[in-house]
Amino acid sequence: MFAQFVQFETTLTEREALQVAHERAPAFRALPALVQKFYLKSTKPNHYGGLYLWDSAEAIAEFRQSEMAKTIPAAYKVVGAPDVSIYELMFPLRG
C-alpha cells in the first residue's frame, strides 16, 4: 500500500474549501484503487491537504495523469505548486 501526502495554499476560505471537498468527494469515493482519503487542515492559515491511501504505485501514477487530478489546483484555487510526497507503507501499528 502507498500513501500520497499533498499540501497546498489556497485563496479560498475554510468554508469554501470544505464545500469544494464535499462536492468532489463522490468522485474520489468512486475510485476503486483509492483505499481512503483524509482531508487535512494545516495550522498555517489557508493551508490544506490530503492524505491518500492507494493500493499500488501504479494507481497513484494513473490518478496523477487523470483529469480529476489535473483539476485539483483550479478547484481549490491553489497558490503556487502543491507539495506532493509519496511513501510506501512498511507496516501498520494496529492490525
Side-chain angles (χ1 to χ4, degrees), residues 46-69:
N46 298 341
H47 285 73
Y48 298 90
L51 176 61
Y52 303 73
L53 298 179
W54 297 96
D55 63 11
S56 69
E58 294 79 19
I60 296 173
E62 185 177 313
F63 172 73
R64 292 183 78 178
Q65 296 303 314
S66 73
E67 192 59 34
M68 186 170 23

Side-chain angles (χ1 to χ4, degrees), residues 2-8 34 36-44 47-54 60 63-64 72 81-89:
F2 289 80
Q4 178 184 17
F5 181 55
V6 179
Q7 300 179 86
F8 60 87
L34 181 60
Q36 182 60 274
K37 179 179 180 187
F38 296 93
Y39 294 83
L40 309 172
K41 176 183 162 186
S42 174
T43 56
K44 293 191 327 191
H47 285 73
Y48 298 90
L51 176 61
Y52 303 73
L53 298 179
W54 297 96
I60 296 173
F63 172 73
R64 292 183 78 178
I72 291 172
D83 180 34
V84 180
S85 300
I86 296 172
Y87 303 88
E88 183 172 3
L89 299 176

Side-chain angles (χ1 to χ4, degrees), residues 23 77-78:
E23 288 170 356
K77 300 189 184 321
V78 173

